[in-house]
Amino acid sequence: MAHWLMKSEPFKYSWDQMQADGRTHWDGVRNYQASNNLKAMRLGDECFFYHSNEGLAIVGIVEIVKEYYPDPSDASGRFGMVDVAPRRSVPHPVTLAAIKAEPALADLPLVRQSRLSVSPVPDDAWALLCKMGGL
């Protein structure tokens, strides 16, 4: 199983909305690197749900419940999406400041490529971030 991080602006789609919906498609990704990350996701992979722009913290974990398929909102036909479902909230949201303060996380794409909306999380970083979040 691989691990990932997906960013969402809470005023557009929050963790609370994700939990209320129970399942959604992760669409609108138009960056090629982020899109390639979506393509690499497999059923059962887990993703941190990260509030960007406002909150700046890992607040939950979602699971990939449908692998990559075409995004109907993309007229070019170049981009796709995955479906996700909420699995659990993070008891103690892990802030970007806390992530940046942890030397072991210095190479995390969230730190090094701050604009990338979908990124991989190595297993050791996943374990550390879960611990930091009280999981």
Side-chain angles (χ1 to χ4, degrees):
M1 173 189 347
H3 297 105
W4 308 91
L5 182 138
M6 304 173 108
K7 290 180 171 182
S8 184
E9 298 172 349
F11 68 91
K12 289 185 179 178
Y13 196 80
S14 69
W15 176 245
D16 288 342
Q17 187 64 54
M18 174 79 252
Q19 290 180 293
D21 290 347
R23 179 181 175 139
T24 193
H25 48 268
W26 205 265
D27 63 350
V29 174
R30 298 295 183 266
N31 170 285
Y32 284 101
Q33 187 176 4
S35 180
N36 286 337
N37 289 332
L38 289 178
K39 287 177 186 176
M41 292 177 173
R42 297 294 170 250
L43 287 177
D45 283 359
E46 291 183 312
C47 310
F48 285 125
F49 190 103
Y50 178 86
H51 276 168
S52 63
N53 289 339
E54 172 186 317
L56 301 177
I58 295 171
V59 295
I61 295 177
V62 298
E63 180 181 335
I64 301 301
V65 294
K66 184 175 181 181
E67 292 182 11
Y68 189 87
Y69 62 102
D71 181 343
S73 71
D74 173 34
S76 74
R78 294 182 186 142
F79 296 99
M81 57 190 183
V82 297
D83 287 0
V84 298
R87 289 300 170 242
R88 58 192 172 278
S89 294
V90 173
H92 309 291
V94 183
T95 65
L96 181 59
I99 292 167
K100 286 183 173 182
E102 175 54 60
L105 299 173
D107 290 330
L108 201 62
L110 176 65
V111 174
R112 298 178 55 84
Q113 296 174 278
S114 62
R115 295 185 50 90
L116 189 61
S117 64
V118 180
S119 60
V121 177
D123 291 342
D124 57 340
W126 179 269
L128 177 55
L129 289 163
C130 284
K131 183 178 177 184
M132 291 169 69
L135 296 171

